Amino acid sequence: MENTFQDLARILTTPRPRFPYGALLLRLAESLATGLAIGVGIAVGRALAG
């Protein structure tokens, strides 16, 4: 039981690796999802319009 708490404390206190491109990748994914949603909306609108 003691080892479990020591392992948990070690895991929680170790610094996590930083991804320098994380914000850029998140922004790229956001733009891609937005563009896809707009494209699908336009396609559905055109399909309903005839």
Side-chain angles (χ1 to χ4, degrees):
M1 189 77 166
E2 184 69 27
N3 288 338
T4 303
F5 289 127
Q6 287 177 355
D7 290 342
L8 184 60
R10 182 182 49 82
I11 290 169
L12 292 175
T13 57
T14 54
R16 295 185 181 104
R18 299 283 309 214
F19 298 107
Y21 301 109
L24 180 64
L25 291 176
L26 184 63
R27 183 72 177 154
L28 183 64
E30 176 187 341
S31 297
L32 181 66
T34 302
L36 184 65
I38 291 171
V40 167
I42 290 172
V44 168
R46 289 184 56 133
L48 291 176

